[in-house]
Amino acid sequence: MTPETDESPLVDDIAARIRARIMNGELAIGKPLRQAALATEFGVSRTPVREALRQLQNGGLIEMQPNRGAVVRVPAPWEVRQAYEVRAELEGMAARRAASRITERGLAALREHNAVLCEAVTRSEGEVRDAGGPTTTAANDCFHTVICEAADNPWLTRMIDRINESFPRNVSSLALAGDERHRHLNIRQHEAVIDALAAHDADRADALMREHVVTSGEHLTAWYERRSQTVFNG
């Protein structure tokens, strides 16, 4: 029988399943990951689980803490800010390229995704349970995905995806859920980007997208700063 190694399909599969649960928020930041419990859940020995956790540690999604073991990692605020600075440049480039390539169907998709976000805010201003839920998270992700697809540059898309995969995807929506002003700003910025793309104005689409991502990055950085204090200080 072939020994289970870091490269084995089983380890990769377990790592992918844990990663997916971290990215969708099912395993929250700061949550301990117990090898024994995970091994029981996946119906395997501890060895592939241990190797999967090591793989995720190398990818920056988890960290090993004294007396706690593996824990879903809380990114340092400066990491978030720097990542979003890079993402802003890349998504600005994507918007620039998309301005001359996007179709009416693509523009309609952007309006549809932004309408989902708008509905989540306006349906009940005093009740924003959906603002950080899977529907709005997916709508926000799809908005940016449509632009990346219109940009028609797989290298650019992969680089943006790599940054996005460094942080749980539901966190941006959770940050929005706690700030009504920023929820409205997010929608307005999306609308401005759509207008620039519809006008095929590459310069404006680039500038607006960069501004949007930087703004989102600053808001997310502040959320992680607050969350870090909660996780580590109780």
Side-chain angles (χ1 to χ4, degrees):
M1 183 173 181
T2 302
E4 294 164 341
T5 66
D6 297 73
E7 293 76 30
S8 73
L10 178 59
V11 170
D12 291 341
D13 177 65
I14 293 172
R17 291 164 70 180
I18 297 173
R19 182 185 296 108
R21 293 170 64 183
I22 293 173
M23 296 304 287
N24 68 22
E26 183 180 344
L27 296 174
I29 58 174
K31 181 177 180 62
L33 301 173
R34 308 299 185 194
Q35 289 186 23
L38 290 169
T40 299
E41 178 181 347
F42 296 137
V44 298
S45 69
R46 292 193 187 190
T47 299
V49 171
R50 182 171 60 250
E51 296 303 325
L53 293 176
R54 183 175 298 154
Q55 187 181 113
L56 294 173
Q57 181 183 12
N58 292 337
L61 276 182
I62 69 171
E63 63 182 344
M64 304 302 294
Q65 294 184 354
N67 303 319
R68 297 189 75 195
V71 176
V72 179
R73 184 170 176 269
V74 182
W78 63 264
E79 291 180 272
V80 180
R81 180 176 287 112
Q82 290 185 351
Y84 269 71
E85 286 175 355
V86 176
R87 180 184 163 190
E89 295 301 317
L90 295 174
E91 292 216 36
M93 183 188 301
R96 172 177 290 279
R97 289 178 57 85
S100 62
R101 295 171 172 82
I102 197 163
T103 63
E104 287 301 319
R105 183 175 180 178
L107 290 169
L110 291 176
R111 295 186 179 103
E112 180 180 342
H113 295 315
N114 206 38
V116 172
L117 299 175
C118 187
E119 181 182 359
V121 172
T122 60
R123 182 170 53 242
S124 176
E125 289 293 345
E127 185 178 354
V128 294
R129 288 187 304 234
D130 292 338
T135 301
T136 52
T137 299
N140 194 70
D141 283 353
C142 287
F143 180 92
H144 290 268
T145 297
V146 169
I147 294 173
C148 285
E149 290 176 347
D152 193 26
N153 186 322
W155 285 88
L156 182 58
T157 299
R158 283 196 294 269
M159 293 175 72
I160 293 171
D161 286 345
R162 183 172 180 180
I163 293 175
N164 288 337
E165 290 169 1
S166 299
F167 310 105
R169 297 305 302 138
N170 71 318
V171 171
S172 295
S173 292
L174 288 174
L176 282 172
D179 189 329
E180 180 179 333
R181 182 194 65 80
H182 193 69
R183 289 197 305 277
H184 285 287
L185 176 61
N186 186 61
I187 293 168
R188 290 197 303 271
Q189 288 180 330
H190 281 185
E191 290 173 345
V193 169
I194 294 171
D195 289 343
L197 292 173
H200 306 295
D201 188 334
D203 288 342
R204 183 162 175 75
D206 184 344
L208 287 170
M209 181 58 82
R210 281 190 283 111
E211 179 184 11
H212 170 55
V213 175
V214 167
T215 299
S216 297
E218 288 301 316
H219 188 72
L220 189 59
T221 296
W223 188 91
Y224 270 113
E225 286 175 340
R226 295 191 297 271
R227 181 60 177 165
S228 296
Q229 294 172 357
T230 300
V231 170
F232 296 121
N233 297 332

